[in-house]
Amino acid sequence: MTFETFSFHPSISANIKRLGYQTPTPIQCQAIEPVLGRRDVMGLAQTGTGKTAAFMLPLLQGFLDRPSGTSRVPRALVVAPTRELAEQIHKAALDLGRGLRFRSATIYGGVSMNPQIRALRQGVDLIVACPGRLLDHLRQGNVTLSSVETVVLDEADHMFDMGFLPDIRKILAALPKKRQTLLFSATMPTAIHSLAREILTDPVIVRAQCEKPVETISHAIYPVAPTGKTPLLLHLLREHAERSVIVFTKTKHRAKKLAVLLENAGHKATSLQGNLSQNRRQEAMDGFRRGAYRVLVATDIAARGIDVSQVGHVINYDIPDTPEAYTHRIGRTGRAERTGQAHTMVTREDMSMVRAVERLLGKPLQRL
Ligand code: AMP
C-alpha cells in the first residue's frame, strides 16, 4: 500500500513527502480508510507505530472535504493524557497540515489559562487537550464542543491509569451524540474495553503488529550489583557515543541525581521528571530533540508518549514495574523501523520481572 491509495489533498501529500514518510505504517494502512469513511475506530497501537498520522491525516483531509462556514468552530478534538503528548500531536497536526488553512490549539494545565482562552476565542478547528484543563474551560464557558465532528481519545489506557476516566465521560457528554469517535490504546484493560463498548458504534478494530517496533530493536540485560549501575551506565554511554539515549529510573529523585552526575562526568545530559515546571520540561524536551542534550534521564510518567524518533538507545537504569512498561519504554527507540537497542540493568531481585518481560516478548533477553 502507498500513500497515493488515499488520494489526499496535494498539500497533505506534499507534507507527507517532506516529512520523509515513504510508505504507510501498518496502523496507517488499516486506519486511514475507515477514518476517512467517518467510521468509529478502535486502534490498538502504542506510540512509535505512526498512530498519530493514522488519525491526523484523515482529520485534516476531513477539514478540506467538509469546509466549515464563516465562523471557525472546533470540529475535531483530541484528548491525550499528558501535555507532552498533546504538544506532540499539535505539532504533528501543524507538520502534516502545513499550507492548509486551519487552526489548532493545545489545552493543558500547569500553564496560564489566558493564552488558551484567547486562542479559543479567536476560533480553532482542532483542539488537542488534556482532560482536566479542558473541563475547566468548559465549565467557565470558554469553549463549546457542540460542533465537534470527531473526537480522538489517545492513549486511553494511560488516561485510565491516571484516573481521567470520569473527566473523559464528562467531556464526551459535552459532545454531540452524532459524531465520529476514535479510541487508541496500547493495551486493553477491562475498563477500556467497557468504555469502548459504551462509546463506539460498530467500530472498525485495527491493530499495529506488536512485534513491529520490537523487531527492529535488540534487547540486552546486564546482571549487575546496585553499586555497579553507574559505572556500567558511564561505560555504555561511552560505547554508544554517537546516538541519543534515554535513561529510565524508577523515581524522580534518582532521575535528577543521575542527570547531574552525568553532566559532571562531561555528558550533555538533562532530566525529565514530574517535579519540573512546565517550562523546564519543555526546555528539556526541546533540547533533547534538537540534540543540545544527548542523554535524557526520565521517569516513566514523564516520558509517556514522548516521540523522539532519533533515539538509538534506551537504557533501563532501573527495570520497570511491569512488562507493559518495558515495551513502552523501549517504544521510544527503533521507531518507524529505525534500529534501536534496549539495555536493561538487572539486580538479583529483578529476575522475576525479566522472566515476565521475556514471556511478553516471546523470546529470551540476551545476557551481557
Ligand atoms: P507515533 O506513533 O504517531 O508517535 O509516530 C512515531 C514516529 O513515526 C513519528 O516520529 C512520526 O513522524 C513517524 N512516522 C509516522 N508515520 C510514518 C511513516 N509512514 N513513515 C515513516 N515515519 C513515520
Side-chain angles (χ1 to χ4, degrees), residues 5 24 84 94 113-114 117 153 198 202 220 229 234 277 303 306 317 320 338 350 352:
T5 323
E84 281 80 9
L94 300 184
M113 295 278 276
N114 288 331
I117 295 175
L153 303 179
E198 197 183 311
D202 186 22
K229 286 188 172 185
L234 291 168
S277 68
I306 281 171
Y317 186 84
R338 289 186 181 92
D350 298 334
S352 64

Side-chain angles (χ1 to χ4, degrees), residues 3 21 23-25 28 46-52 307 309 335-336:
F3 280 110
Y21 300 179
T23 48
T25 65
Q28 291 164 0
Q46 61 196 52
T47 306
T49 55
K51 69 180 162 73
T52 314
D307 160 35
S309 23
R335 275 164 181 270

Side-chain angles (χ1 to χ4, degrees), residues 207-328:
R207 318 166 190 267
Q209 282 84 0
C210 282
E211 313 86 278
K212 204 216 86 194
V214 177
E215 262 169 25
T216 55
I217 297 170
S218 61
H219 308 256
I221 58 172
Y222 302 83
V224 66
T227 49
K229 286 188 172 185
T230 302
L232 176 57
L233 176 62
L234 291 168
H235 171 79
L236 287 171
L237 289 178
R238 268 197 307 278
E239 198 160 279
H240 303 286
E242 72 294 354
R243 294 179 76 183
S244 291
V245 180
I246 298 190
V247 180
F248 282 97
T249 62
K250 91 185 139 203
T251 64
K252 301 180 211 178
H253 178 68
R254 277 164 83 82
K256 189 172 157 193
K257 218 172 78 180
L258 197 55
V260 172
L261 187 146
L262 293 178
E263 246 190 308
N264 291 339
H267 291 281
K268 288 188 281 175
T270 189
S271 66
L272 186 72
Q273 27 86 17
N275 284 348
L276 298 178
S277 68
Q278 177 59 16
N279 279 347
R280 295 282 309 279
R281 284 158 76 113
Q282 201 65 49
E283 193 265 332
M285 271 313 306
D286 291 346
F288 186 61
R289 251 191 224 116
R290 277 198 322 271
Y293 303 113
R294 185 173 76 90
V295 185
L296 183 71
V297 189
T299 56
D300 286 295
I301 298 262
R304 251 172 197 176
I306 281 171
D307 160 35
V308 204
S309 23
Q310 77 281 17
V311 173
H313 300 269
V314 166
I315 301 179
N316 294 319
Y317 186 84
D318 297 315
I319 200 166
D321 291 334
T322 63
E324 287 74 25
Y326 180 88
T327 48
H328 247 93

Side-chain angles (χ1 to χ4, degrees), residues 23-333:
T23 48
T25 65
I27 196 82
Q28 291 164 0
C29 290
Q30 300 167 69
I32 290 176
E33 205 64 74
V35 180
L36 280 171
R38 318 274 310 132
R39 295 281 305 268
D40 281 3
V41 170
M42 166 83 233
L44 280 156
Q46 61 196 52
T47 306
T49 55
K51 69 180 162 73
T52 314
F55 63 77
M56 194 55 76
L57 288 167
L59 279 187
L60 294 167
Q61 181 64 42
F63 290 159
L64 293 163
D65 291 343
R66 297 178 304 283
S68 58
T70 40
S71 63
R72 213 182 268 277
V73 288
R75 305 166 66 196
L77 167 68
V78 182
V79 187
T82 62
R83 15 196 194 192
E84 281 80 9
L85 184 60
E87 277 299 336
Q88 214 166 276
I89 296 167
H90 168 76
K91 184 173 177 299
L94 300 184
D95 283 344
L96 295 167
R98 195 200 269 191
L100 308 185
R101 296 156 58 81
F102 81 104
R103 283 209 209 121
S104 168
T106 50
I107 300 291
Y108 45 73
V111 295
S112 154
M113 295 278 276
N114 288 331
Q116 298 178 353
I117 295 175
R118 267 198 302 280
L120 292 171
R121 293 224 170 110
Q122 274 171 10
V124 291
D125 304 275
L126 170 67
I127 296 178
V128 186
C130 297
R133 177 58 70 87
L134 178 62
L135 271 184
D136 293 342
H137 283 291
L138 271 172
R139 287 194 191 108
Q140 293 184 14
N142 302 330
V143 64
T144 52
L145 299 177
S146 53
S147 53
V148 169
E149 298 161 356
T150 305
V151 61
V152 184
L153 303 179
D154 199 8
E155 301 208 346
D157 47 354
H158 284 158
M159 296 207 274
F160 166 65
D161 288 344
M162 294 166 85
F164 283 144
L165 271 203
D167 286 357
I168 287 174
R169 286 179 199 283
K170 287 182 198 141
I171 292 167
L172 291 174
L175 299 174
K177 285 228 158 42
K178 199 173 153 333
R179 58 158 196 263
Q180 180 184 34
T181 306
L182 314 176
L183 180 69
F184 285 87
S185 193
T187 57
M188 269 300 252
T190 325
I192 299 303
H193 203 92
S194 354
L195 181 74
R197 273 228 297 269
E198 197 183 311
I199 65 170
L200 300 176
T201 311
D202 186 22
V204 176
I205 297 170
V206 301
R207 318 166 190 267
Q209 282 84 0
C210 282
E211 313 86 278
K212 204 216 86 194
V214 177
E215 262 169 25
T216 55
I217 297 170
S218 61
H219 308 256
I221 58 172
Y222 302 83
V224 66
T227 49
K229 286 188 172 185
T230 302
L232 176 57
L233 176 62
L234 291 168
H235 171 79
L236 287 171
L237 289 178
R238 268 197 307 278
E239 198 160 279
H240 303 286
E242 72 294 354
R243 294 179 76 183
S244 291
V245 180
I246 298 190
V247 180
F248 282 97
T249 62
K250 91 185 139 203
T251 64
K252 301 180 211 178
H253 178 68
R254 277 164 83 82
K256 189 172 157 193
K257 218 172 78 180
L258 197 55
V260 172
L261 187 146
L262 293 178
E263 246 190 308
N264 291 339
H267 291 281
K268 288 188 281 175
T270 189
S271 66
L272 186 72
Q273 27 86 17
N275 284 348
L276 298 178
S277 68
Q278 177 59 16
N279 279 347
R280 295 282 309 279
R281 284 158 76 113
Q282 201 65 49
E283 193 265 332
M285 271 313 306
D286 291 346
F288 186 61
R289 251 191 224 116
R290 277 198 322 271
Y293 303 113
R294 185 173 76 90
V295 185
L296 183 71
V297 189
T299 56
D300 286 295
I301 298 262
R304 251 172 197 176
I306 281 171
D307 160 35
V308 204
S309 23
Q310 77 281 17
V311 173
H313 300 269
V314 166
I315 301 179
N316 294 319
Y317 186 84
D318 297 315
I319 200 166
D321 291 334
T322 63
E324 287 74 25
Y326 180 88
T327 48
H328 247 93
R329 286 183 180 185
I330 61 154
R332 308 263 146 17
T333 183

